[in-house]
Amino acid sequence: GRLAGQELNQFANQGVPLIEYLAAVMDKPHEEIKKLVEQGEVGFDTVVEAINHLTQSGGKFFGLADKYSKSFSGLLDQV
């Protein structure tokens, strides 16, 4: 599969800076990433790698599940 522009926008609309992490993984500027997405040149493996970077140490979402599980809402979800 390939990442489509609409999907990239959906990530952005939900607060997931996927384009930023794709740029880091692919070592290319944001504008070039946008062009590559439009051309269908960004594959599933690259998207998975970028998402992994988001959730690893130093990533925007690192440890988020653990933090949530300790919040009031997270504790209620465990009941």
Side-chain angles (χ1 to χ4, degrees), residues 18-38:
L18 186 59
I19 193 165
E20 177 183 327
Y21 283 80
L22 285 169
V25 166
M26 299 174 75
D27 195 30
K28 298 187 183 302
H30 292 191
E31 289 303 315
E32 189 170 344
I33 298 299
K34 289 178 185 178
K35 289 177 187 175
L36 291 170
V37 168
E38 289 172 10

Side-chain angles (χ1 to χ4, degrees), residues 17 20-21 50-64 67:
E20 177 183 327
Y21 283 80
I51 290 172
N52 284 338
H53 281 265
L54 276 161
T55 59
Q56 292 173 351
S57 182
K60 181 174 182 170
F61 300 121
F62 176 71
L64 196 59
K67 291 175 190 173

Side-chain angles (χ1 to χ4, degrees), residues 48-78:
V48 169
E49 186 176 353
I51 290 172
N52 284 338
H53 281 265
L54 276 161
T55 59
Q56 292 173 351
S57 182
K60 181 174 182 170
F61 300 121
F62 176 71
L64 196 59
D66 186 50
K67 291 175 190 173
Y68 177 75
S69 72
K70 294 174 183 166
S71 71
F72 182 73
S73 296
L75 291 170
L76 284 178
D77 285 346
Q78 296 175 36

Side-chain angles (χ1 to χ4, degrees), residues 8-24:
L8 184 61
N9 289 335
Q10 288 173 349
F11 276 104
N13 290 338
Q14 296 302 314
V16 179
L18 186 59
I19 193 165
E20 177 183 327
Y21 283 80
L22 285 169

